[in-house]
Amino acid sequence: MAPNSPTRLHPWKGKEKATSTSTSLDPEFVDLDPVITYRHILSNNLGVKDPLRVIALCDSDAFYAACEMVRLGVDKEEPLVVLQWDLLIAVNYPARKYGVSRLTKLKEALQKCPGLKVVHVATFKEGDSEPGYWENVDTKTHKVSLDYYRRESVKVASVFKESLPASVEIEKASIDEAFFDYTKTVKEILLQRYPYLAQVPKDVLDGIDTPLPPPPRLKWTDLGVSHAIPLTIPAPKEEGSEKGDGEYNDEKPESPEVIVEKNGEGSGAVEKGNEDPGGLNEDEEYTTTWHDIAMSIAAELMDKARAKVKEIGYTTSAGIARNKFLAKLSASYKKPNSQSILRNRAIPSYLRPLPFQKIRFLGGKLGTAIAKEYDVSTVGDLLAISLEEIQRKFGENSIWVYEVLRGIDRSEVKEKPSVNKSMLAAKNLSKPITNAAEGHHWIRVLAAELALRLNEAREANPNLWPRSLVLHARRGYEAGRSKQAPFPFVRKVSVDIIASAGDRLWRELVGSNTVMHVSTVSLAFTGIEVAEQGQKSIEGFLKPASADFSKKRPRDKERSVSIDLEAEHSGFGKSDITLGISKQNHQSSSNVPSWTCARCGKTFHLPEDLSSLDSDIQQEALSSIQLEHQDFHFAEDLSKESDDHVSSVKPTTKKVGFKSRTTKKSRKETHGLDKYFTKK
């Protein structure tokens, strides 16, 4: 049967039901050779069911180590590791040739590789506004900073965005990897290269639903940009995962059927006289599909973008497939500095020998339970288990387990907002905090990290403003407690400003006379937003309004400018706390700035003797008044909530001093997959 035979039907039924329809290529895998019609190539709204869907995952090679190599100007062949306290968190590829891995102890690593270059990550210490690289670091006084790696990650992401067409959707998955949806872009290029596909033939019976004519033969060896993952895959190694448990990211042994070996260096080889890197002979019936053509176009675009990234010192490895799950797996097929294509036809042989516990979310407790229940270790072992059996044992939601084992992933590539809604600085303490002075020491260290990150973010968005500052503290394995307060807008956020607000939260949350033993402390900005377009700064709201303006505004529109100050998860409503700066009657006769509470309508004026001072000082003074008044409302709300709670609901949580404990009756019994992902 021809690959694009119209008698084959698209088997996907939707999210609510797993399909059992399969093709003759493999009885356990579906949609390996879907019918592609004119409708498919002319439509851009088919989503995850699009048979021409092309997704890529690009992962920076040994990113933290690469960042340090760029910073220090280290030769690409010099072995280097990145140290965090006494653990190796990154190992470059030259060091791996000596048998050094992230699980290797530093002393052992130096024995294996005497010329090994060791770099400790940058750390903050009290009194410094920026992290530094120190000869002697101590976890009792220093805090690790990853800000340099974040900045380099942003730089890499910017190069990708500038190098790719605007129609490519990009989703940053982590600090060193991102997903790319090329579907719309490759369709545009397909229609440019093969213009006859843009017009539906007039003499066909099915109209726009008519299958496309056969595509031209594609010789992968002519592309010169990628590995094509072969149809016969040997069992992968069990070691060498760079990402850690739960994610399959091993470097796999080279298959004897791998015909083309292309990477960023341009090296290549042809073995055994075969011409197709997918392990097929000229005599076999299989011919190129339009999806293969689409993936080859995406490979060209990705290869050019990766070359641009390499110019700034970073090599990457990319995987191209029909969905996010398969793209992530194929990105690790040949590392480093490589690019792999997983064609639909190669999916079965690629997944069957895969240790299923290396798949994300199938490691940990769930993977252990599945392995124990069915006495299996690979994806191929689990394919014999029916959907009904998996759902009977692990609940209805385990349909995603059934599907992911068969290479089905319905998740979309979604671009994340450019502005992070929160910033967190946290410290797990080897020696618990036992007195107030130690607490204030760590508040200043955490404040330095937050100040640096917010001010760097403001270089791109000057009007960034965090609504709240949140302090969280925890003792041992007990449930932690948090305290938050609105954070005032200031032109230049300094360590002193954040530390002062953090110290206040510390006194309110922990106190000075309590037996502390705090083992984890964090400080965070939440509710980060950008001021509305056209506003130069928030400070403009504090300036006196003109007389002409005030005459034109009725009193019922005084609070036309309001900015929510409270965090997203506070006890206030969406607009309970606002910066209600009125443009009328909110200034005293001497034009001293004022602030009106949107909740109670009370107006507060600065003393007239401050009218001649700098606007920044006026603003800080007004912010202090504002915070104090909002604390009053906060305490008032807590009192009301407490009274309402006692009168209507029997409490299940009792707070004693610093710790919180929950009665047994309040614990909800978990079912299905939930119990494998719920923390005890």
Side-chain angles (χ1 to χ4, degrees):
M1 183 179 294
N4 287 327
S5 170
T7 59
R8 293 182 183 175
L9 300 178
H10 196 291
W12 286 19
K13 305 299 182 183
K15 292 184 177 180
E16 74 282 355
K17 182 178 179 181
T19 175
S20 59
T21 306
S22 62
T23 70
S24 59
L25 295 177
D26 193 293
E28 293 293 344
F29 293 85
V30 300
D31 222 15
L32 298 181
D33 192 12
V35 176
I36 299 179
T37 67
Y38 286 92
R39 183 185 301 277
H40 292 139
I41 199 168
L42 297 175
S43 301
N44 285 321
N45 58 352
L46 301 178
V48 298
K49 294 185 178 182
D50 196 328
L52 284 171
R53 190 179 188 220
V54 181
I55 307 297
L57 183 282
C58 194
D59 182 11
S60 296
D61 298 324
F63 185 60
Y64 288 1
C67 287
E68 297 298 346
M69 294 172 71
V70 170
R71 182 180 68 86
L72 298 171
V74 173
D75 184 87
K76 64 178 183 179
E77 297 300 327
E78 182 174 352
L80 178 146
V81 296
V82 179
L83 189 67
Q84 180 175 318
W85 310 130
D86 57 348
L87 298 175
L88 302 184
I89 63 170
V91 181
N92 72 357
Y93 284 88
R96 297 183 192 189
K97 294 179 181 178
Y98 291 87
V100 179
S101 71
R102 293 198 307 171
L103 301 178
T104 308
K105 298 293 183 182
L106 178 59
K107 183 178 180 180
E108 182 184 353
L110 291 172
Q111 292 174 346
K112 290 183 175 182
C113 182
L116 184 65
K117 188 173 184 63
V118 181
V119 182
H120 194 283
V121 297
T123 56
F124 281 99
K125 67 177 182 179
E126 186 179 7
D128 292 335
S129 59
E130 294 187 3
Y133 291 86
W134 319 105
E135 291 185 4
N136 298 312
V137 292
D138 190 343
T139 184
K140 297 178 181 178
T141 55
H142 291 66
K143 184 202 175 296
V144 165
S145 170
L146 303 180
D147 293 293
Y148 168 60
Y149 308 134
R150 292 191 184 98
R151 288 194 295 270
E152 293 300 288
S153 175
V154 171
K155 188 185 301 183
V156 171
S158 297
V159 173
F160 270 120
K161 194 166 186 178
E162 294 169 0
S163 305
L164 291 170
S167 55
V168 176
E169 297 182 64
I170 305 175
E171 175 189 332
K172 191 171 182 180
S174 67
I175 195 171
D176 63 346
E177 61 183 4
F179 286 104
F180 302 79
D181 190 337
Y182 283 96
T183 309
K184 183 178 180 180
T185 306
V186 297
K187 286 184 178 181
E188 294 172 353
I189 297 176
L190 275 172
L191 293 175
Q192 293 172 6
R193 294 185 181 180
Y194 309 98
Y196 59 88
L197 299 178
Q199 296 294 329
V200 180
K202 296 181 179 180
D203 57 347
V204 295
L205 296 177
D206 295 331
I208 197 171
D209 292 315
T210 300
L212 297 180
R217 176 80 177 176
L218 180 66
K219 291 192 66 175
W220 298 93
T221 52
D222 292 339
L223 294 179
V225 296
S226 307
H227 293 99
I229 296 177
L231 300 183
T232 305
I233 308 288
K237 293 186 293 185
E238 294 286 344
E239 57 185 359
S241 176
E242 184 179 342
K243 294 293 183 185
D245 293 339
E247 291 189 35
Y248 185 71
N249 203 35
D250 294 356
E251 293 182 55
K252 295 159 205 61
E254 184 175 346
S255 166
E257 279 77 20
V258 175
I259 309 307
V260 180
E261 184 173 327
K262 293 283 186 181
N263 58 26
E265 304 296 336
S267 61
V270 178
E271 300 179 9
K272 295 192 175 181
N274 292 324
E275 295 183 4
D276 190 321
L280 290 172
N281 298 319
E282 292 287 346
D283 296 335
E284 292 188 81
E285 181 184 358
Y286 174 75
T287 57
T288 305
T289 69
W290 282 111
H291 189 255
D292 290 334
I293 302 291
M295 288 198 294
S296 70
I297 294 173
E300 295 173 23
L301 297 173
M302 178 59 80
D303 191 64
K304 293 177 181 178
R306 291 176 52 245
K308 291 292 185 181
V309 172
K310 190 176 181 181
E311 291 178 3
I312 64 172
Y314 297 100
T315 64
T316 57
S317 295
I320 301 170
R322 68 179 184 178
N323 59 45
K324 294 172 72 173
F325 163 62
L326 295 175
K328 184 171 179 62
L329 283 183
S330 56
S332 62
Y333 178 70
K334 288 283 185 180
K335 296 192 73 171
N337 194 26
S338 70
Q339 188 166 290
S340 302
I341 294 177
L342 179 60
R343 290 149 45 209
N344 290 352
R345 189 177 177 87
I347 291 173
S349 58
Y350 189 54
L351 288 183
R352 283 184 179 277
L354 187 73
F356 75 88
Q357 286 183 271
K358 293 291 185 179
I359 297 175
R360 192 181 184 191
F361 301 130
L362 287 183
K365 292 187 292 184
L366 176 59
T368 301
I370 293 176
K372 184 178 180 180
E373 176 69 22
Y374 301 114
D375 190 25
V376 292
S377 60
T378 68
V379 170
D381 297 334
L382 278 172
L383 292 178
I385 311 299
S386 67
L387 173 62
E388 292 74 17
E389 167 62 20
I390 291 179
Q391 290 184 320
R392 182 188 66 79
K393 182 62 181 179
F394 297 98
E396 293 294 323
N397 291 335
S398 59
I399 182 175
W400 72 265
V401 177
Y402 180 88
E403 290 192 328
V404 79
L405 294 172
R406 289 157 175 79
I408 299 173
D409 178 11
R410 307 179 193 277
S411 58
E412 298 178 347
V413 174
K414 295 182 179 180
E415 185 171 353
K416 296 181 179 179
S418 59
V419 176
N420 291 324
K421 293 296 184 181
S422 63
M423 293 179 181
L424 172 69
K427 175 68 177 179
N428 292 322
L429 302 162
S430 57
K431 179 185 177 183
I433 296 173
T434 57
N435 59 67
E438 293 176 355
H440 296 313
H441 161 82
W442 287 114
I443 292 296
R444 288 196 64 82
V445 173
L446 299 175
E449 181 172 356
L450 286 183
L452 178 66
R453 293 181 61 189
L454 182 59
N455 286 323
E456 284 183 349
R458 279 182 167 179
E459 293 178 3
N461 295 292
N463 289 344
L464 275 185
W465 183 19
R467 297 177 180 178
S468 302
L469 182 69
V470 182
L471 173 69
H472 179 85
R474 180 167 58 86
R475 295 197 310 184
Y477 294 99
E478 297 176 0
R481 292 180 60 195
S482 299
K483 183 72 175 178
Q484 64 183 17
F487 189 78
F489 181 91
V490 289
R491 183 180 300 165
K492 180 69 174 180
V493 177
S494 67
V495 177
D496 291 336
I497 292 174
I498 301 175
S500 177
D503 285 341
R504 180 179 178 183
L505 292 174
W506 178 266
R507 289 191 295 270
E508 295 175 356
L509 179 65
V510 181
S512 57
N513 300 320
T514 309
V515 178
M516 299 179 185
H517 293 288
V518 175
S519 58
T520 301
V521 61
S522 67
L523 205 59
F525 284 138
T526 61
I528 299 175
E529 292 186 350
V530 182
E532 294 180 9
Q533 188 175 2
Q535 295 173 189
K536 294 183 179 180
S537 70
I538 304 298
E539 296 138 324
F541 295 131
L542 300 179
K543 295 180 180 180
S546 66
D548 292 338
F549 182 88
S550 63
K551 291 178 182 179
K552 296 178 182 179
R553 296 292 182 183
R555 188 164 184 85
D556 61 351
K557 294 184 179 180
E558 288 179 355
R559 300 184 183 93
S560 60
V561 181
S562 63
I563 299 178
D564 193 353
L565 283 174
E566 192 51 273
E568 297 176 358
H569 301 292
S570 68
F572 298 100
K574 184 176 181 180
S575 59
D576 284 344
I577 294 182
T578 57
L579 183 60
I581 306 301
S582 170
K583 295 291 184 177
Q584 174 194 11
N585 295 330
H586 280 190
Q587 308 295 335
S588 67
S589 59
S590 58
N591 287 330
V592 176
S594 63
W595 171 74
T596 298
C597 177
R599 299 189 66 185
C600 63
K602 188 173 182 179
T603 301
F604 297 87
H605 298 273
L606 288 181
E608 293 187 8
D609 56 358
L610 295 180
S611 61
S612 61
L613 297 180
D614 183 77
S615 61
D616 287 344
I617 298 178
Q618 291 184 15
Q619 179 192 324
E620 291 182 17
L622 190 63
S623 296
S624 178
I625 294 174
Q626 175 187 341
L627 288 173
E628 184 176 354
H629 184 69
Q630 288 169 351
D631 282 347
F632 161 75
H633 283 302
F634 183 66
E636 190 177 49
D637 289 342
L638 287 178
S639 176
K640 291 179 180 179
E641 289 177 5
S642 177
D643 293 342
D644 294 341
H645 187 64
V646 170
S647 62
S648 61
V649 182
K650 184 177 179 180
T652 58
T653 302
K654 300 178 181 179
K655 291 187 177 180
V656 181
F658 187 76
K659 71 178 181 178
S660 170
R661 57 186 172 87
T662 306
T663 60
K664 292 182 179 180
K665 292 183 179 179
S666 67
R667 295 176 182 169
K668 295 181 179 180
E669 184 179 355
T670 56
H671 301 279
L673 293 181
D674 292 342
K675 62 184 177 182
Y676 298 104
F677 295 98
T678 304
K679 294 182 179 180
K680 295 183 178 179

